[in-house]
Each structure stands twice: as C-alpha cells, then as structure tokens.
C-alpha cells in the first residue's frame, strides 16, 4: 500500500458511495419507500470513512516525504516543520478540495442523524450526496490530489512562504471551509422544503444549521483578517481583495437569512426571502470558489489556482438554477399576503436583510466589474478598496442604525411607550456624534462614536426590559441568561457595534511613515521614540532572518524582521506588532545596509482601536456558541414553567 | 559559515542602490490609491516589489517638489492608464461600476417600498357582496 494507492481508493470509493447514495435517496423520494432511504443513510458513514482515508493518505504522503505524489512534490519540503507539514493539505488547490470534500461528508453524516420526515430526509440526503458527487468527481478527474510523478524529485519546494509564517494558517482555512460547507445543509433543507411544499417547519431546523455555518464563517473571516494583519506586512486587515470579497458575499447573505428567518418563525412571513437567501448564500460559496480558483481574477490570495474553474462555474449554475427554479415554481404559495409596517420588528428585520443583500450586490458588482469590462470592452480597469469603502460606509452605518432600533420594536406596530425608547436612542446618537465632533474627529468617526453609544443604550434598554419583566413576574433576574438566543444575539450585536467603532477609527486615523536610520540615530514619530542599534542575521534552517534592533522608549527592545526564503526572490517582512487598547504599533524592517549594517529602513504604522477588532471577533464567535450551546432550550423551558 | 555565503547569494539577487528615501504619511496616503503594476492586487503602499518601492520614491520626490496629489496621480495615469487607480474614475469604462450599485440599491429600495406600502382596502361593494353570499344557503 502506498499513499497514492490509498488516496485514489478513498476518492473512488467516496465517489462511488455518493453516487449510489444519490440514486438511493432519489429512489426513496420517488418511490416513497423507506427501504431505499435506509440504504441511502447506510452509505453516509462509508462515504465519510472513504474521504477520511483519502485525507489521511495525503497526510501520510506528506509525513513520509513521498515526492512521487505531485501534490507533495509541489507543496512540501523535507525540512518543513511538523505543523506546517500537517496543514499542507490545504496549502494548494487539490488538497483543499479534498478537505472540502471531507468536511462535506462530515456535514452529510451529521445532517443524516437529524430526525426529519422521510420525504424531506430523502431529498436532503439527495442534495448532499449530489454535492459530494461533484467534489469527489472533480478529484477523480481534473484535480486529483494523488497524481503521481514518473520522476520524483529528491526534495520539494515547500508551501508558499506566506502560509508558513503564522500558525493562523492552520486554523483560518479550516474555519472558512467549515463555514462554506455548512451552508450546503441549509441549501439542502430549502430544496427539500420547496419540493415537498412544506414551508413552515424547515425554517427552525435550517436556522440552526445556518447559524453553525455563520459562526464558522465569522470566525474564519476574523482569523483571516488577523493573519493578514500579522503576516502580510501592510498593517491592514481588509483589502477588498477578490478572495476576501468572494467569502464576504456568502457571509452577508447568510446574515440576511438569519434575520429574515426570525420573522418566519414568529409570524410565518418572508418565506420567499428565506428560500432566496439560503440558495444564494450557498451558490455564492461555489461562485467564490470559481472566482478565486480559476485564475480569472488577480488576487494576492492566488495560492491555489487550477483547472477547476469551468467545473465550479457549471456547478454554481446548477445549484442556483435548482434553488431559484424551485422557488419560482412555488412562489405563488409562499408569497406574503399580510400588510407590513416599516416601523415594526419585522419591518426592521427585512430592511436590515435588504441592507445585507444590497451590500452583497455592491461587493459582487465591484469584484466582477474588472472581469466583465475586460471580457466585453477589452478595457483593463481596477476596482479597489477606495471604491468599496465609499459604498460600504453608508451601508454599514445603516446596518448599525437598524441594529439598535430593530430589537426594541415590537412585532406588527409600535406601542406608544416604545417611542420614549426611540427618542432616548436618538439622543444618544446625536450626543455621541456631537461629542466626537467636539473632540475634533472627522464626521465619519464621530458618527461611529454616536452609533456605538446608541447601540450600547439599545442593548441596555433591551436587557432592562427583559430583566424587569422577569422580576415583575416573580422570576430570578439571572434567568434572563437562560434565554440563550436573546443573550447570544445581544453579545454578537455588541461585538458588531464595537467592530464598527474599530473599523471607523482604524481606517480614518492611521499613521504610516518610513525612515532610514543610521546606527545610533533616533526617530520620534507617532508617539514613540526609537533608536536603531544595528542588525543581526539568523539562520533558521528553512529560511534566513535578518532583524533590526530598535530600542524604544515605551516598549523596550523591538525587533522587526525580514525573512528570506529560498523559494522567493524577494524578502518577506515580518512585522513586530505591539498591541495596546488605544493604538497598535506596527514595526516593519523594510531594507538594511547589506555591506556593513550601518543603516536600516524602518516603517512604523500606528493604528487606533485595531485591538478591539480582535476582541469583537472573539465576542462574535462566543455569542454564536452561546446560542448554539446544547441544553439552551431545556434551561429556558425550565425557567419559564411555573413548577 | 556556508549559510552566510548563501545569504549573500540572496542579497546579491536583491539589488541595492543606497538607502531608501524617507517616506512621510502623505506618501502612503497617495500610494494606497495606486495599484502596484506587477503585483496580484496590492497597492503601491503595501507591496514590496521593486516597482512599488520605486513608485513610493517618485511620490516622495514629487511631494517635495510641491506637486499636489492630483498632479502625482495624473503622472501615473499618463504612464499606466486609468488602470493604475484603485478608485475607478467616474467616467468612461468605469462609470458603470459606480452607477450600477446605486441603480441596484435604488431598485431594492423601490421593491421594499412597494412591499411596505399600505395595501388599499377592498371596495365596500365587494365586501358587502361577499358577506351577502356567506349568509345565503349554499346552492
């Protein structure tokens, strides 16, 4: 047995089991026969085990330096540290498709364990098996991770140095894929609901899956932001790069769904929106993969390009066509007939969902525009951060505004006492903004302060309302914490407000300067004084490092580095970041005197409130986890019951 | 000492022509709006490719000569075309990238307005008719 043999066997078996499972699940639905469903269910675990075997085969090939595998030869080197070797399966295209396929089988396994009526269960399984057929089909044909080389090299080149530089690279892609793949289950549920024409029960079940996927996507995005901040050496966390955009679009659409789903649960309305958002969110993950893995768009993230573009494009069209086609078939039955008032909880939720969907549209248009302009007009154009920032700022402000007022509004129509709350909120918004303006901030930053205070007050009012209600009813105020969905969503909302503040200030008040310092020379900039004391070279095996010794007045000795990798012809700066709650100080070594080490060119970037972006990211993950934590419903039921 | 020799091999590949110039925050503000011509989607402020380093040097020099931001951007547009600007100009081939999202948002808003518009109540004759039919015994 060799890794190649085991891997090919695993991929083929996973494909075979998925094809068989797809056929049995379809038969189960069409014939209404439970035996076929049992058969399809029985194939879920074997498909997962076959995928796991294939994945372990790739790890085996990497750990034993089996350079007869093309993937290992291209992405691995004998001197790679163990943790880099272990995460190399998702360092390039074929391996990441394998990881994607493995996680897909895992989600299918988990989804098949959930109780559903036999008709929907067969359809959910059919869709999930269908997706597996696509992924393992791609691996079996055009992007095999187990292709062998006739003349294996003695050693490989190792993965892209950018991927070896930070442990976050072990975490970020897995979180992203868990999020992407997680959206396939809501899609399967939506298809099943539309085919069987059962429109109400699906939303509760789907929301749970969508929240899991959303939590992973959020954590993955924040992890990616932190990775680019710590590694790429540009001192930023968001560049509106096509790859970032490609994963931001499904996040936005999933967020829209999480909000409109609440309305269907409470009032039975917005079914069309829910089906549309779930379909589009899933389709957007596939489109994003097409966009970023086909080489049609230039991206700093283009670690994993390959010949899979057309396959993903076809799969995207198929998934979108299936979802939207079914939706148009049932659209008469799911149409909303009730009258909606904008000034109600459902009004705010729908408006919010439209902000998210509109934002997704803006990002999609901006990302695709260069591609379309070149394809049709032949013009080469750039659409970058300044464009996205200008259009995103008002949308983001609108979302922050709705986020405060929405949860305070009652369903259907506001009562008179609600207006008192609204006036208090408005006062907080105006006061906060004025305070910012008086302190000399720009209008945008002042508005961010106002919106932060406004949201803080909204959360306080909501918590007070809930706690006072419980006390009046003779219940313990701490029982409020048992309302996991409410408390968790408040934590997430607080985190979003905090992130809004962080984004506004870090984008507005960023100081960046660069200076060549001679030995013993001092530089005072951005509130820091540093003295250059010389450079030092280090041999770290797979790379060389050169570090500048800077003595600062506030942080002691700081040593930003340059890394030299044999695979790269230019050095990679490795920044030294000092995190503080106020400002982050980001030191970079840009260049140095290679003859005598007499001078070094140093860049300092001072960015306010970035620290709080990571805190907010962590809070978003924690809030989601709190909602999803098991026993939440049980505890809530115990609290509410009088016994 | 073999690795030192190797390091120098790298260093020689990475040509050096004296210390780089000092760059003020204004240089970065302008460089952030310009695309690095050879990089994969990075701005001239972020990239460490030779061209980007050179662009930052040119921006610093032009600022010292008292040139304005618009003049500096025009200089790069002359060399590379509008493609060098990360903020697409609101004319020609890139006008639509600004217009389309606004049209899209406007249409979304219009749809939303239609959705929330109070539905007109049914005319009283129809209601009366329906009520009358309800009271009638089924035929």
């Amino acid at each position: 047995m060799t890794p190649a043999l085991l891997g090919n066997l695993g991929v083929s078996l996973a494909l075979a089991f998925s094809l068989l499972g797809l056929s049995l699940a379809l038969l189960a639905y069409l014939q209404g026969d439970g035996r076929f469903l049992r058969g399809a269910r029985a194939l879920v675990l074997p498909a997962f085990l076959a995928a796991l075997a294939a994945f372990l085969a790739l790890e085996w090939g990497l750990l034993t330096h089996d350079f007869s595998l093309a993937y290992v030869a291209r992405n691995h080197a004998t001197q790679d540290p163990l943790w880099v070797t272990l995460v190399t399966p998702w360092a390039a295209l074929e391996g990441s498709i394998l990881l994607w396929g493995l996680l897909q089988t895992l989600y299918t396994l988990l989804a098949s364990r959930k109780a559903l009526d036999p008709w929907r269960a067969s359809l959910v399984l059919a869709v999930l098996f269908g997706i597996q057929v696509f992924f393992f089909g791609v691996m079996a044909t055009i992007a095999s991770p187990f292709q062998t080389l006739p003349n294996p090299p003695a050693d490989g080149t190792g993965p892209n140095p950018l991927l070896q530089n930070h442990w976050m690279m072990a975490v970020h892609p897995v979180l992203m894929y868990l999020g992407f793949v997680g959206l396939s289950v809501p899609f399967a549920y939506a298809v099943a609901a539309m085919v069987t024409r059962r429109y109400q029960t699906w939303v509760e079940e789907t929301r749970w899956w969508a929240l899991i996927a959303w939590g992973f996507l959020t954590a993955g995005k924040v992890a990616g932001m932190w990775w680019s901040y710590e590694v790429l050496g540009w001192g930023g966390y968001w560049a509106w790069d096509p790859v970032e955009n490609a994963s931001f679009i499904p996040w936005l659409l999933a967020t829209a769904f999480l909000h409109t789903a609440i309305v269907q649960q409470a009032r039975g309305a917005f079914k069309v929106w829910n089906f549309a958002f779930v379909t589009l969110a899933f389709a957007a993950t596939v489109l994003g993969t097409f966009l970023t893995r086909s080489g049609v768009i230039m991206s700093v993230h283009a670690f994993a390009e390959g010949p899979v573009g057309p396959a993903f494009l076809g799969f995207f069209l198929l998934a979108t066509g299936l979802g939207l086609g079914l939706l148009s078939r049932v659209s008469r039955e799911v149409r909303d007939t009730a009258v909606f008032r904008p000034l109600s909880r459902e009004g705010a939720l729908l408006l919010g969902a439209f902000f998210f969907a509109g934002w997704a549209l803006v990002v999609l248009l901006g990302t695709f525009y260069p591609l379309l302009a070149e394809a049709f007009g032949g013009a080469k154009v750039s659409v970058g951060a300044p464009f996205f920032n200008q259009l995103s700022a008002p949308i983001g402000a609108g979302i922050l505004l709705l986020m405060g007022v929405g949860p305070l509004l009652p369903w259907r129509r506001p009562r008179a006492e609600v207006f008192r709350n609204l006036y208090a909120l408005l006062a907080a918004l105006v006061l906060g903004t004025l305070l910012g303006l008086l302190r000399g901030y720009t209008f945008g930053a002042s508005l961010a302060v106002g919106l932060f205070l406004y949201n803080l007050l909204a959360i306080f009012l909501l918590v007070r309302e809930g706690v006072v209600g419980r006390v009046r009813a003779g219940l313990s105020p701490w029982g409020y914490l048992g309302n996991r969905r409410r408390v968790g969503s408040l934590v997430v909302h607080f985190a979003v407000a905090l992130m809004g503040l962080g984004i506004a200030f870090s984008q507005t008040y960023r100081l960046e300067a660069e200076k060549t310092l001679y030995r013993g020379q001092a530089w005072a900039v951005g509130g820091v004084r540093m003295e250059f004391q010389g450079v030092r070279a280090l041999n770290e095996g797979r790379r060389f490092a050169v570090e500048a010794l800077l003595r600062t007045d506030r942080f002691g000795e700081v040593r930003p580095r340059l890394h030299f990798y044999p695979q790269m012809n230019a050095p990679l700066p490795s920044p030294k970041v000092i995190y503080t709650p106020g400002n982050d100080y980001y030191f970079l070594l840009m260049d140095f005197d290679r003859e005598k080490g007499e001078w070094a060119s140093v860049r300092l970037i001072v960015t306010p409130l970035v620290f709080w972006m990571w805190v907010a990211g962590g809070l978003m993950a924690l809030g989601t986890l709190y909602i999803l934590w098991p026993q939440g419903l049980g505890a809530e039921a115990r609290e509410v019951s009088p016994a | 000492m073999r690795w030192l020799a190797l390091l120098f091999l790298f260093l020689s590949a990475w040509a050096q022509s004296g210390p780089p110039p000092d760059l003020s925050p204004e240089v970065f503000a302008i460089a952030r709006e310009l695309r690095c011509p050879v990089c994969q989607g990075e701005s001239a402020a972020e990239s460490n490719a030779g061209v980007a380093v050179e662009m930052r040097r040119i921006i610093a020099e032009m600022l010292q000569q008292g040139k304005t931001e618009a003049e500096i951007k025009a200089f790069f547009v002359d060399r590379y075309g509008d493609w060098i600007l990360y903020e697409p100009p609101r004319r020609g081939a890139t006008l639509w990238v600004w217009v389309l999202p606004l049209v899209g948002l406007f249409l979304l808003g219009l749809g939303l307005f239609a959705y929330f518009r109070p539905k007109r109540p049914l005319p009283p004759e129809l209601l009366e008719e329906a009520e009358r039919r309800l009271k009638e015994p089924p035929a």
Side-chain angles (χ1 to χ4, degrees):
Chain A
M1 192 63 124
T2 64
L5 200 63
L6 178 64
N8 280 320
L9 191 69
V11 168
S12 312
L13 280 176
L15 178 60
F17 291 144
S18 305
L19 268 170
L20 196 59
L22 172 63
S23 323
L24 286 177
L26 283 176
L27 272 176
Y29 175 71
L30 295 171
Q31 303 283 319
D33 193 331
R35 282 173 301 175
F36 289 125
L37 178 59
R38 275 200 297 282
R41 277 222 177 100
L43 285 167
V44 168
L45 185 63
F48 167 70
L49 291 176
L52 187 64
F55 186 79
L56 291 177
L58 188 57
E59 291 281 15
W60 177 21
L62 286 163
L63 286 169
T64 54
H65 316 302
D66 184 351
F67 295 112
S68 67
L69 282 173
Y71 187 86
V72 177
R74 276 200 309 272
N75 300 296
H76 175 68
T78 33
Q79 64 201 16
D80 284 349
L82 181 65
W83 76 269
V84 171
T85 306
L86 286 174
V87 306
T88 301
W90 50 92
L93 177 76
E94 294 85 357
S96 36
I97 294 183
L98 179 56
L99 175 67
W100 194 317
L102 172 67
L103 295 176
Q104 187 70 59
T105 58
L106 179 66
Y107 268 106
T108 308
L109 184 68
L110 295 175
S112 73
R113 293 286 181 270
K114 282 258 170 183
L116 275 184
D117 60 86
W119 293 274
R120 283 198 299 146
S122 340
L123 288 164
V124 166
L125 274 183
V127 172
L128 292 174
F129 272 129
I131 297 170
Q132 281 177 207
V133 168
F134 170 74
F135 277 104
F136 290 99
V138 163
M139 275 182 262
T141 53
I142 48 179
S144 169
F146 300 102
Q147 210 174 30
T148 49
L149 295 173
N151 303 307
D155 198 355
T157 44
N160 186 320
L162 281 174
L163 303 179
Q164 309 176 31
N165 238 2
H166 200 276
W167 60 270
M168 235 344 156
M169 274 335 275
V171 181
H172 159 66
V174 180
L175 289 173
M176 288 313 292
Y177 289 147
L178 278 168
F180 286 157
V181 179
L183 286 173
S184 68
V185 185
F187 174 68
Y189 272 72
V191 168
M194 286 189 280
V195 174
T196 57
R197 304 191 149 162
R198 293 180 187 200
Y199 308 122
Q200 192 53 36
T201 43
W202 81 287
V203 77
E204 172 75 30
E205 298 142 353
T206 306
R207 196 170 180 274
W208 190 81
W209 286 105
L211 197 60
I212 290 182
W214 185 88
F216 279 123
L217 268 183
T218 308
K221 293 220 71 81
V222 175
M225 284 158 77
W226 192 43
W227 170 79
S228 67
Y229 186 64
E230 282 241 312
V231 170
L232 287 183
W234 57 287
Y237 46 81
W238 194 258
W240 296 104
D241 181 86
V243 176
E244 292 171 355
N245 295 350
S247 63
F248 190 40
I249 294 169
W251 184 88
L252 286 168
L253 293 167
T255 314
F257 167 72
L258 288 176
H259 289 92
T260 49
I262 300 173
V263 182
Q264 190 176 344
Q265 278 177 276
R267 286 199 61 190
F270 294 177
K271 298 187 190 78
V272 181
W273 306 121
N274 288 332
F275 285 127
F277 287 142
V278 164
T279 300
L280 293 176
F282 173 69
T285 65
V286 183
L287 181 70
T289 312
F290 156 70
L291 198 67
T292 52
R293 298 288 179 260
S294 61
V296 293
I297 274 183
M298 285 207 296
S299 159
V300 71
H301 278 79
F303 302 122
E305 272 182 21
V308 297
F312 272 90
L313 189 60
F315 186 55
F316 161 74
L317 293 174
L318 192 73
T320 318
L322 179 66
L324 296 186
L326 282 171
L327 184 56
S328 77
R329 193 173 75 114
V330 300
S331 63
R332 278 174 169 281
E333 297 164 27
V334 293
R335 191 174 294 164
D336 289 324
T337 47
V339 176
F340 294 105
R341 283 161 213 278
L343 208 61
S344 64
R345 176 99 49 97
E346 59 269 41
L349 283 165
L350 186 63
L351 208 58
F354 266 76
F355 270 105
F356 284 113
W359 203 352
L361 179 77
V362 166
V363 176
L364 185 77
L365 282 170
T367 311
F368 267 94
Y369 196 79
L371 191 63
L372 295 177
E374 200 168 344
F376 292 110
K380 276 184 98 182
V381 298
S382 301
V383 181
F387 168 84
F388 291 109
N389 286 340
Q390 276 176 50
L391 288 177
S392 297
I395 299 177
I399 287 170
L400 286 173
L401 202 60
L402 276 173
M403 197 176 80
V405 75
L408 276 164
L409 287 170
W411 298 102
R412 289 165 203 279
R413 68 183 73 200
R415 294 179 302 270
E417 66 263 30
V418 168
F419 286 100
R420 273 208 310 274
N421 283 342
L422 299 192
Y423 295 139
L425 286 182
L426 197 64
L429 177 64
V430 172
L431 274 178
T433 311
L434 281 178
L435 200 74
L437 288 172
L438 282 177
R439 290 208 60 180
Y441 298 141
T442 63
F443 177 71
S446 305
L447 188 64
V449 175
L451 282 168
F452 181 70
L453 289 180
Y454 156 94
N455 273 297
L456 226 51
L457 178 65
I459 291 168
F460 169 77
L461 288 172
L462 269 174
V463 173
R464 194 189 61 170
E465 191 184 280
V467 170
V468 165
R470 293 186 66 88
V471 171
R472 285 219 185 106
L475 295 166
S476 147
W478 293 107
Y480 186 69
L481 290 175
N483 189 350
R484 285 175 179 268
R485 203 152 117 183
R486 179 40 73 88
V487 174
S489 73
L490 285 181
V491 171
V492 173
H493 279 186
F494 171 74
V496 171
L498 187 62
M499 197 167 263
L501 196 66
I503 291 171
F505 274 79
S506 59
Q507 295 285 330
T508 314
Y509 296 106
R510 177 186 152 118
L511 179 110
E512 184 169 7
E514 190 176 314
K515 191 174 170 65
T516 299
L517 296 171
Y518 286 83
R519 204 192 287 265
Q521 194 183 352
W523 183 30
V525 61
V528 195
R529 189 177 177 284
M530 65 188 99
E531 194 186 301
F532 172 57
Q533 298 184 311
V535 288
R536 186 163 74 184
L538 302 149
N539 178 16
E540 297 184 328
R542 68 208 158 103
R543 68 181 181 206
F544 300 112
V546 172
E547 54 184 29
L549 310 177
L550 299 169
R551 201 170 56 208
T552 65
D553 54 348
R554 294 176 60 180
F555 315 114
E557 192 165 64
V558 176
R559 296 177 191 168
R561 290 169 148 218
L562 275 174
H563 286 157
F564 295 81
Y565 285 88
Q567 309 92 304
M568 292 193 97
N569 51 15
L572 269 184
S574 173
K576 175 75 201 156
V577 192
I578 311 255
Y579 296 92
T580 76
N583 286 310
D584 272 13
Y585 298 86
Y586 196 98
F587 294 85
L588 278 162
L589 171 62
M590 301 304 296
D591 200 351
F592 60 94
D593 177 11
R594 269 157 269 161
E595 273 143 34
K596 295 187 197 126
E598 278 304 307
W599 55 265
S601 179
V602 177
R603 187 183 292 183
L604 177 76
I605 306 174
V606 184
T607 324
L609 303 191
V610 181
F611 179 79
W612 298 100
M613 310 265 312
W614 317 130
V615 173
L619 282 175
M620 283 166 102
L622 282 179
T624 315
L625 202 62
Y626 191 73
I627 303 174
L628 288 169
W629 201 260
Q631 296 153 1
L633 287 172
E636 204 174 319
R638 272 201 305 281
E639 278 295 334
V640 172
S641 70
Chain B
M1 282 288 101
R2 197 170 64 88
W3 68 271
L4 254 182
L6 260 171
L7 176 61
F8 276 105
L9 204 69
F10 282 125
L11 294 179
S12 57
W14 181 41
Q16 192 169 36
S17 54
D22 296 348
L23 304 174
S24 66
E26 295 79 49
V27 175
F28 288 102
I30 298 172
R32 204 155 282 290
E33 309 254 310
L34 297 173
R35 177 187 272 274
C36 158
V38 297
C39 314
Q40 301 271 303
E42 278 184 300
S43 80
E46 291 148 19
S47 172
N48 291 313
V51 191
V53 175
E54 180 67 9
M55 281 170 79
R56 291 196 288 265
R57 197 183 59 76
I58 292 172
I59 297 170
E61 269 176 22
M62 291 181 85
L63 276 173
Q64 261 180 356
Q65 292 160 14
K67 297 257 168 61
T68 65
E69 183 176 337
E71 282 170 329
I72 296 171
K73 280 188 185 170
F75 169 80
F76 284 104
V77 169
D78 273 350
R79 272 189 163 185
Y80 296 99
D82 284 340
W83 176 76
I84 202 80
L85 299 173
Y86 255 138
E87 179 172 345
R90 290 175 176 81
R91 61 179 154 72
T94 46
L95 176 66
W96 284 103
V97 75
W98 291 98
V99 173
L100 281 177
L102 296 179
V103 170
L105 290 179
F106 177 74
L107 288 179
L108 279 179
L110 215 62
L112 210 58
F113 177 75
Y115 206 75
F116 282 130
R117 200 179 46 165
K119 308 240 179 0
R120 205 174 295 160
L122 288 169
E125 311 89 78
L126 266 178
L127 283 175
E128 276 165 27
E129 160 104 19
E131 219 160 294
R132 196 163 44 76
R133 272 203 209 146
L134 272 176
K135 283 173 192 158
E136 275 173 13

